[in-house]
Amino acid sequence: MSKQSHDDFSETQDASLADVLAWAKETDQSYDAIRELEKIPARLAMIDDDIGLIPADLGYFDRHIAPSSYGPVARRARDLEQSRATGNSRVRALLRRFHEAQDGSGAERAGRTDWDRLIEFVEAHEGFVEKGARFTHGKHRSLFVLRARANSAPQGLDQAEIERISRGISASTRKSLRKALKLLAELRVEMLDDPDLRDLLPADALRNPRPSGRATRIVWDSLPLAFRNSVASAILTCLAQPEDLVADARDRMAAGEDAVKVLAELEEATGQSGRRLPTNLSAAESGYQSAIAWLVRAAEEEGLSRDDLTDLASLMTYPFLDAACRQQIARSEASDALRDPKSSQTLKARLTSLRTLAAHGLRDPSILATVDVVRKLHAEHVVEPGKQKDPEAERVCKILQRSPEAAARFVNAPSLIAEHAETEISAARASGSKAREISALRRYEAAVLAAIQLSRPVRPENLIRLRYRGSEGASGHLTWVKKKSHAELRFPVGEVKNDRTVTVHVMGADAAILWRWMTEYRARFLELRGIPDTPYVIPGTAKPRLVRKGLALPDGCLAPSSFADLWRMGTAVVGLDLNPHQARHAVATLVLAIHPGNFALVAAILGDTEETVRRHYGRDSGEQAAVQMRNVLLAKHPAIFRQLKKRIAQ
């Protein structure tokens, strides 16, 4: 089941939030909890009456509702992050009471007192490790996820309970769960003999659970060497560049091969027959390996041992290809943590990679035809890129269209985040806490990212790789046209997905945020972190991933996971649950609300094609155009609709 779809919940779930709401009112539950429950449809961009379509499942709540936008339903809240946490806590408690009432169980959760004792023990031993404390500050907070969800005391916790908890939580909460398990492991190793602790620890070691709905990971090096060599040879052929292909054709002609065949293959391989050669070689290689691992997994589930793998051609058979598709579809349908198979592009991506390997890596017409047959057999689930709008992006766009307050928060996001961060920076410096100051400066980094993204939306990789100066093999992007008030960011061809130059002008208050970061906060952040300076506007310690051929980038950028954390720190202040890519959709929606039908303008802003913009945003534009048209007609000719009604009546 798709995590974005709410269809058929009333049939597939025991109870809906409408049932919870009715029960809460009948049993005189907390007014505040009821109000938070009633806000949930608006948080999901649904209408109020759709509350009966939302399952009353704690796992579903944690995965999809708890992290959703809170800004549209908390217009007067000053701290949206805290307000959302409070609201989520109230609904979560209400859902527990509802299920306990249905099951006839008591209100007291098993082992709650023991969890409190364990948490208090850890908190009492926190401080500065260099000064003798056992744990760093805040270590105890990781145990909150277990105290809130476990159906047993800490000493009774086992792997089955961990797996149950994992199936019902979001990815971000699962991160907290991993920290909690790591802490419990440390306690078992170091403090099992402590008389204050021994009776509060699990009897057995606990391992990190596998994410719900995810397939078993295939470790590439675990595959037989001969098979990996066969794959490497096919991938190398697929990634051959024009100069390599010309040299190969010359050798084949010298060896006496048929000229017609050599010419046909050369034209196809060099793109003259429509094939587009990969420009990001590492990304292409990763895609091919992922598709092959996907096929190996299916073959193993069909009974093949990986030790029996000899070469790529023997793996790419109809039984394994068809099984891989069926298993992928079944996993998606069985889990609401995965996207609906009819809207996911996973199958399309996997089969496209395998088709390229068959056609250009193995040069085997029979295998190529087999891949094409399998693709046609599962055509319903082979979704072409760009054919559907991201459901989550569409949800955010609906919220912006319906809520002027949310739209205002989105437009003013950089300033809101920066103000919040500067308050935190002042408080951290007053307290003398370096850890708090680092966290506050990271929040300011989120304001910088938002200032750039709202000036002209770019892709996450461009934000991660944004450089204020050049380095060997890569030029810088940032130029100050006017200090403090106008910055120009220029991304040349080769650093943008659509192979075009994109220039971003950051001006006014947004430029002031970037200026303060570059001239004041950035140096302080490097000092506190103890890391060397790098060419990147947002410095880090990671190595750039999936760099295109011909582009040499230095180390010292953000890791994608760190970038995602920063972005979430910013959106928490604004109260809108959207990622950088969804921000592109949001900007397009607002532009079309102001300029209905102007797809060319939106295409220019996004650095995309007008056709793509029209396909994604045509419906939104039409809706807004109709609203504006009626407002104009009413303003200029107030009687026109009354006259029209009279004519229809006659």
Side-chain angles (χ1 to χ4, degrees):
M1 181 181 294
S2 166
K3 72 174 183 179
Q4 290 85 13
S5 172
H6 299 282
D7 298 341
D8 299 327
F9 279 151
S10 57
E11 296 177 7
T12 58
Q13 300 290 333
D14 293 334
S16 72
L17 292 189
D19 300 316
V20 180
L21 182 59
W23 168 83
K25 291 180 177 179
E26 290 172 0
T27 56
D28 293 325
Q29 297 295 312
S30 163
Y31 171 79
D32 290 335
I34 292 174
R35 285 291 297 121
E36 292 296 338
L37 188 64
E38 292 174 332
K39 293 176 183 178
I40 289 176
R43 292 174 64 176
L44 300 178
M46 303 168 73
I47 64 175
D48 292 346
D49 287 344
D50 284 346
I51 193 170
L53 299 176
I54 307 172
D57 177 70
L58 273 166
Y60 183 86
F61 176 83
D62 280 333
R63 286 191 298 273
H64 306 305
I65 300 173
S68 65
S69 301
Y70 201 74
V73 298
R75 299 170 185 173
R76 298 180 182 178
R78 299 189 64 181
D79 188 338
L80 288 170
E81 191 172 7
Q82 181 58 47
S83 296
R84 177 164 64 175
T86 301
N88 287 341
S89 179
R90 287 169 175 166
V91 175
R92 194 178 287 113
L94 186 65
L95 287 173
R96 287 201 189 97
R97 291 196 296 271
F98 170 77
H99 288 295
E100 288 167 353
Q102 306 306 305
D103 297 339
S105 57
E108 178 68 22
R109 294 180 63 77
R112 177 84 181 196
T113 302
D114 286 343
W115 280 112
D116 289 341
R117 287 175 54 206
L118 179 59
I119 290 171
E120 289 168 2
F121 175 88
V122 175
E123 187 175 13
H125 292 82
E126 290 178 353
F128 294 101
V129 176
E130 58 270 22
K131 294 183 179 180
R134 289 183 175 181
F135 309 108
T136 57
H137 286 290
K139 195 82 168 180
H140 69 284
R141 289 197 292 267
S142 66
L143 295 173
F144 290 171
V145 64
L146 288 172
R147 181 179 65 179
R149 293 166 177 82
N151 288 330
S152 67
Q155 60 270 31
L157 203 60
D158 58 19
Q159 192 62 40
E161 180 66 359
I162 294 298
E163 298 292 342
R164 183 195 66 79
I165 294 171
S166 177
R167 287 192 294 270
I169 57 180
S170 64
S172 59
T173 309
R174 192 173 292 111
K175 185 176 181 180
S176 298
L177 176 60
R178 289 195 293 270
K179 291 181 180 179
L181 294 178
K182 182 179 179 181
L183 175 57
L184 288 177
E186 292 174 2
L187 292 172
R188 290 187 75 256
V189 171
E190 300 174 10
M191 302 184 183
L192 194 57
D193 294 332
D194 191 308
D196 296 326
L197 197 63
R198 67 167 67 105
D199 294 333
L200 295 176
L201 295 176
D204 301 316
L206 303 170
R207 62 181 183 278
N208 287 327
R210 191 178 72 190
S212 176
R214 301 292 178 179
T216 304
R217 180 170 177 259
I218 299 293
V219 179
W220 190 254
D221 290 342
S222 69
L223 302 177
L225 179 61
F227 175 76
R228 282 185 280 138
N229 289 339
S230 172
V231 172
S233 176
I235 292 177
L236 187 63
T237 304
C238 288
L239 298 181
Q241 297 302 292
E243 59 271 22
D244 302 320
L245 297 168
V246 169
D248 180 62
R250 185 177 287 113
D251 293 339
R252 292 172 65 187
M253 290 297 295
E257 284 197 41
D258 180 62
V260 175
K261 181 180 179 182
V262 172
L263 178 61
E265 292 183 359
L266 181 61
E267 289 180 341
E268 183 177 10
T270 55
Q272 296 179 40
S273 63
R275 184 199 173 201
R276 184 178 179 183
L277 289 173
T279 56
N280 191 328
L281 302 185
S282 56
E285 181 179 9
S286 176
Y288 293 139
Q289 287 187 346
S290 294
I292 294 165
W294 176 74
L295 197 54
V296 169
R297 183 186 305 110
E300 287 192 323
E301 292 190 19
E302 291 294 301
L304 177 72
S305 170
R306 71 180 60 183
D307 295 333
D308 295 333
L309 292 169
T310 56
D311 59 81
L312 179 58
S314 63
L315 178 68
M316 294 181 65
T317 63
Y318 170 75
F320 296 151
L321 286 164
D322 184 62
C325 293
R326 287 187 285 103
Q327 292 169 15
Q328 178 69 40
I329 294 167
R331 278 195 299 270
S332 296
E333 290 178 337
S335 172
D336 70 358
L338 301 178
R339 181 171 291 182
D340 189 295
K342 292 183 180 179
S343 63
S344 169
Q345 296 177 15
T346 299
L347 213 57
K348 156 73 177 177
R350 297 287 190 252
L351 292 176
T352 297
S353 294
L354 294 175
R355 190 182 191 282
T356 303
L357 287 168
H360 306 289
L362 299 176
R363 293 175 179 168
D364 190 320
S366 177
I367 296 178
L368 175 60
T370 302
V371 175
D372 286 342
V373 167
V374 171
R375 177 175 172 147
K376 288 185 178 296
L377 293 176
H378 297 281
E380 182 182 16
H381 299 97
V382 179
V383 180
E384 296 291 336
K387 294 299 183 183
Q388 296 185 356
K389 188 173 178 180
D390 179 3
E392 282 298 291
E394 190 168 12
R395 177 185 63 78
V396 173
C397 291
K398 284 182 179 179
I399 288 174
L400 294 177
Q401 290 168 336
R402 296 173 182 176
S403 172
E405 293 84 1
R409 283 184 174 276
F410 175 71
V411 171
N412 292 289
S415 296
L416 292 173
I417 300 168
E419 290 171 7
H420 193 93
E422 288 180 330
T423 300
E424 291 180 329
I425 291 170
S426 298
R429 289 177 175 176
S431 68
S433 171
K434 291 184 178 180
R436 287 181 61 188
E437 188 174 354
I438 289 174
S439 178
L441 288 170
R442 294 186 75 231
R443 181 95 68 179
Y444 199 91
E445 288 179 330
V448 173
L449 295 174
I452 296 168
Q453 193 69 344
L454 268 68
S455 297
R456 184 178 185 182
V458 294
R459 291 176 172 83
E461 68 178 40
N462 298 123
L463 292 172
I464 289 174
R465 299 175 184 180
L466 178 62
R467 301 182 294 279
Y468 75 95
R469 61 175 170 82
S471 60
E472 186 176 352
S475 60
H477 300 126
L478 173 61
T479 301
W480 285 100
V481 179
K482 186 177 181 180
K483 293 181 178 180
K484 300 184 182 180
S485 61
H486 185 183
E488 180 183 278
L489 313 176
R490 187 176 181 277
F491 297 95
V493 173
E495 291 197 47
V496 178
K497 180 179 178 181
N498 294 331
D499 288 328
R500 63 181 67 186
T501 298
V502 171
T503 301
V504 181
H505 291 277
V506 184
M507 305 178 73
D510 294 335
I513 291 170
L514 178 58
W515 175 265
R516 187 162 193 184
W517 169 252
M518 295 303 303
T519 59
E520 179 182 348
Y521 289 145
R522 188 177 182 278
R524 176 62 174 168
F525 179 75
L526 290 170
E527 177 189 348
L528 291 173
R529 285 284 310 276
I531 60 177
D533 192 12
T534 75
Y536 300 98
V537 169
I538 308 295
T541 57
K543 182 180 180 65
R545 297 174 62 247
L546 306 178
V547 179
R548 293 189 178 193
K549 181 183 178 183
L551 182 63
L553 295 181
D555 294 351
C557 67
L558 281 174
S561 58
S562 298
F563 172 82
D565 287 341
L566 280 186
W567 188 266
R568 281 193 293 268
M569 289 177 73
T571 57
V573 174
V574 182
L576 289 172
D577 175 37
L578 77 170
N579 60 38
H581 184 70
Q582 290 160 2
R584 287 169 56 86
H585 290 275
V587 168
T589 297
L590 295 178
V591 170
L592 284 172
I594 300 170
H595 302 285
N598 197 340
F599 302 109
L601 174 61
V602 176
I605 291 172
L606 298 185
D608 216 327
T609 65
E610 187 173 341
E611 178 186 356
T612 300
V613 170
R614 186 181 295 273
R615 182 168 61 240
H616 280 304
Y617 306 107
R619 182 182 63 183
D620 294 336
S621 166
E623 291 171 356
Q624 293 303 315
V627 170
Q628 290 200 12
M629 178 199 72
R630 189 177 189 282
N631 289 338
V632 169
L633 289 172
L634 282 171
K636 294 186 176 181
H637 305 285
I640 189 170
F641 288 99
R642 291 197 296 271
Q643 294 171 2
L644 183 61
K645 289 179 180 179
K646 289 180 180 178
R647 290 179 183 177
I648 293 174
Q650 293 173 356

